[in-house]
């Protein structure tokens, strides 16, 4: 696995950044911009799904299926979206996001931590875009997930500081927060998960420290294609 990723050359690689922040001047906005800049310098092709600007629909509803339902008597979103994926009857905004994912070698999720998780608009992206048949199809999940040839990385900011997110800290080990997102969603769909990029409590840090957070991220991206994915198993989270 290591060798395979080490051989990946940057030019021509495709990166999708799924970005969820309302304010372009936020630190999340800056982290997104710096990633676009750095990856473009490497001649990667970068696409950004700016979810708030797109007014991305986060609700998984009947409207996601174009035309007749398989069972109009009793609506089942999972069953209907799976069937619609197979028949090419998913609504266009989902299809467009799925195309971007399909083309990407690496998907970066950039967001502020909301309630130990991602903002609702990004969770809605997960709910609606990672359809059964497209991203997973039991037993094609985890290492056999349908997006298994892709890398994913969570890049997020927090309100709490690093000490609060340590094992003895008030919020508990940050690995517990990562478990549902990295293992429950990304790995479930087959993604190889790269180590998360976490900027702890930028609002309470100095300007200098925030600049450092941005530089560290840009620096890491320079060698991102050489990174080995984490060993995304329960032990990684709950050791
Ligand atoms: P911002 O306030 O936008 O940015 C911080 C500072 O960086 C600003 O002063 C900005 O001007 C500055 N900045 C921007 N660009 C640059 C630059 N290029 N150079 C230098 N400085 C720059 N936190 C938790 O820890 N756990 C939770 O469960 C949690 N739940 C939340 C739930 C909700 C609903 C909300 C609203 C917040 C929650 N938070 C939680 C807090 C949240 O995670 C943080 O407020 C957020 O991560 C901060 O990131 P930001 O990009 O919004 O910061
Ligand atoms: Zn895992």
């Amino acid at each position: 696995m290591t060798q395979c990723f080490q051989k990946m050359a940057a030019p021509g690689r495709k990166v999708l950044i799924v970005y969820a922040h309302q304010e372009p001047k936020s630190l999340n906005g800056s982290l997104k911009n710096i990633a676009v800049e750095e990856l473009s310098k490497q001649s990667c092709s970068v696409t950004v799904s700016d979810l708030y600007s797109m007014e991305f629909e986060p609700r998984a509803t009947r409207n996601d299926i174009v035309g007749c339902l398989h069972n109009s008597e009793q609506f089942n979103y999972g069953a209907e979206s799976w069937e619609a994926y197979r028949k090419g009857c998913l609504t266009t905004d989902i299809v467009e996001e799925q195309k971007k994912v399909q083309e990407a070698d690496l998907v970066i999720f950039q967001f502020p931590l909301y309630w130990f998780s991602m903002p609702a608009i990004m969770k809605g992206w997960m709910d609606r875009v990672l359809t059964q048949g497209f991203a997973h199809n039991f037993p094609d999940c985890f290492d056999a997930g349908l997006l298994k040839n892709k890398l994913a990385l969570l890049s997020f900011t927090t309100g709490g500081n690093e000490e609060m997110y340590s094992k003895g800290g008030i919020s508990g080990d940050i690995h517990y927060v990562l478990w549902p997102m990295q293992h429950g969603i990304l790995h479930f769909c087959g993604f190889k998960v790269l180590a998360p990029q976490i900027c702890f409590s930028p609002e309470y840090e100095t300007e200098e420290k925030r600049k450092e957070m941005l530089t560290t991220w840009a620096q890491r991206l320079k060698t991102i294609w050489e990174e080995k994915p984490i060993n995304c198993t329960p032990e990684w989270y709950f050791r």
Side-chain angles (χ1 to χ4, degrees), residues 85 97-104 134 146-147 150:
Y85 172 75
E97 293 305 299
Q98 288 179 341
K99 265 192 213 147
K100 295 179 198 171
V101 173
Q102 201 60 69
E103 286 179 6
F134 169 71
L146 301 176
L147 304 177
K150 301 176 188 301

Side-chain angles (χ1 to χ4, degrees), residues 142 182-183 187 232-233 237:
F142 293 111
Q182 290 190 163
H183 183 75
H187 188 191
C232 188
T233 57
Y237 300 89

